[in-house]
Amino acid sequence: MFYIFPTATEIADFVSEQMLLRIKNQNKTVFGLATGSTMEPVYEQFIQKYRQCQPSLEQVYCFNLDEYVGLPAEHPQSYHAYMQKHLFRHVPFNQQQVFLPCGQKTANEAECQAFSALIQAQGGIDLQLLGIGTNGHIGFNEPGTPFNSRTHIVALSEQTRRDNSRFFANKNEMPTHAVTLGLKDIVEAEEVFLLATGAHKAEIMAALQRSRSDEQLPASILHEHPNAIVLLDAQAAQELDRSLCRSYQDLTRTRTAIAEKAT
Ligand code: GLP
């Protein structure tokens, strides 16, 4: 399940390629999208590759994982703004088929349930992209979140607020709450790619590799997923047990063979 790539660039190349292949080969594609620094090179390469082949996006649906509560959508650190800046402004997705959880102050339980239901109404997510927090959160599912959770509002942990406040010029603006897809919603995706890059992720990735499924380490739910893989750069992989990892070439070789068969 753990694949080591030399750098974030090779990860972005692989992931963006897999996204494009799904768009080209499937009648309909439902993406689960993530934000954060880790995803920026992925979207950058996706945009470049999209421009080269321009496949139809008519049957592509995008659902984002999470959003802060209380930041207006136009706030530069909102995930609405992030997605516009890094992806949606550059690729003509049908805006009626792009969905982000609502982060308004009035966000409530009924809206959360409706978000999970909307994904199910589209037949579920085909490919879910995930980053990981240094405390093991995925989306904003903090340690202790039940594995059977659906979209919900969460109080952010101190660690997450500390980590993410780096994006806010005024630290007081760092939100205290967020809305996130639940862990159950995430693992219902047909395929999951968890990406981790940089030395600051090395410790949590080693913990994830050693762990069994444990609600105190939210990403460990992926151990139960039949089709989830972890893609790491060499820095994030530096504390892993290498005998339990595979090289990225194994992955790219297998995927190329599958893609060739499909054409
Ligand atoms: C944030 C987001 C996650 C993201 C994670 C990692 O808190 N809620 O969806 O995966 O942190 O972010 P980064 O890629 O910037 O390290």
Side-chain angles (χ1 to χ4, degrees):
M1 155 174 165
F2 289 80
Y3 290 92
I4 304 177
F5 290 66
T7 70
T9 307
E10 287 83 7
I11 298 180
D13 179 37
F14 174 80
V15 174
S16 56
E17 186 64 32
Q18 295 305 308
M19 292 172 74
L20 257 313
L21 281 172
R22 280 192 180 263
I23 295 174
K24 288 189 215 161
N25 296 339
Q26 295 181 186
N27 294 332
K28 174 180 173 181
T29 309
V30 183
F31 288 123
L33 299 179
T35 53
S37 329
T38 314
M39 294 301 148
E40 290 178 20
V42 173
Y43 297 143
E44 236 170 72
Q45 291 208 36
F46 177 84
I47 294 163
Q48 286 168 18
K49 290 187 166 87
Y50 168 78
R51 286 185 180 146
Q52 280 161 21
C53 55
Q54 303 197 20
S56 165
L57 299 171
E58 221 171 287
Q59 287 305 317
V60 178
Y61 292 74
C62 299
F63 288 91
N64 261 80
L65 262 181
D66 47 14
E67 177 56 291
Y68 291 117
V69 171
L71 285 190
E74 53 285 357
H75 188 288
Q77 296 313 327
S78 79
Y79 289 167
H80 279 72
Y82 173 104
M83 291 308 294
Q84 284 302 328
K85 179 175 174 194
H86 294 288
L87 186 61
F88 298 150
R89 190 185 291 164
H90 311 279
V91 178
F93 289 106
N94 181 342
Q95 290 304 303
Q96 308 303 315
Q97 294 168 194
V98 162
F99 306 94
L100 284 94
C102 167
Q104 285 179 4
K105 274 194 188 125
T106 51
N108 59 45
E109 189 52 34
E111 282 171 3
C112 289
Q113 281 177 19
F115 197 74
S116 291
L118 202 57
I119 294 174
Q120 285 160 17
Q122 290 306 331
I125 291 169
D126 294 315
L127 174 60
Q128 177 67 58
L129 305 186
L130 294 175
I132 186 167
T134 58
N135 64 357
H137 75 226
I138 50 177
F140 269 128
N141 292 284
E142 297 283 29
T145 306
F147 278 178
N148 64 0
S149 54
R150 294 288 183 189
T151 304
H152 62 286
I153 296 167
V154 56
L156 298 173
S157 69
E158 271 311 304
Q159 190 170 339
T160 297
R161 296 193 66 222
R162 222 179 15 250
D163 286 351
N164 288 13
S165 66
R166 72 185 191 276
F167 294 112
F168 290 81
N170 175 357
K171 305 282 176 239
N172 295 331
E173 276 187 328
M174 173 65 212
T176 54
H177 288 74
V179 52
T180 181
L181 224 60
L183 292 168
K184 189 148 199 228
D185 297 306
I186 292 173
V187 292
E188 280 173 355
E190 180 207 325
E191 180 167 45
V192 182
F193 290 168
L194 173 69
L195 281 58
T197 56
H200 62 303
K201 297 288 170 73
E203 196 178 327
I204 191 65
M205 296 318 290
L208 177 62
Q209 192 190 41
R210 281 192 306 266
S211 73
R212 290 166 184 260
S213 295
D214 173 0
E215 288 183 351
Q216 290 311 315
L217 203 176
S220 69
I221 194 173
L222 300 179
H223 290 310
E224 296 171 8
H225 196 288
N227 207 11
I229 57 173
V230 181
L231 303 95
L232 311 99
D233 69 356
Q235 288 187 318
Q238 64 196 356
E239 292 178 27
L240 293 188
D241 176 346
R242 296 285 176 129
S243 68
L244 302 174
C245 299
R246 298 178 71 177
S247 146
Y248 76 107
Q249 282 119 332
D250 291 343
L251 189 59
T252 45
R253 254 196 306 272
T254 320
R255 296 301 171 115
T256 312
I258 294 171
E260 277 166 4
K261 237 187 210 172
T263 52

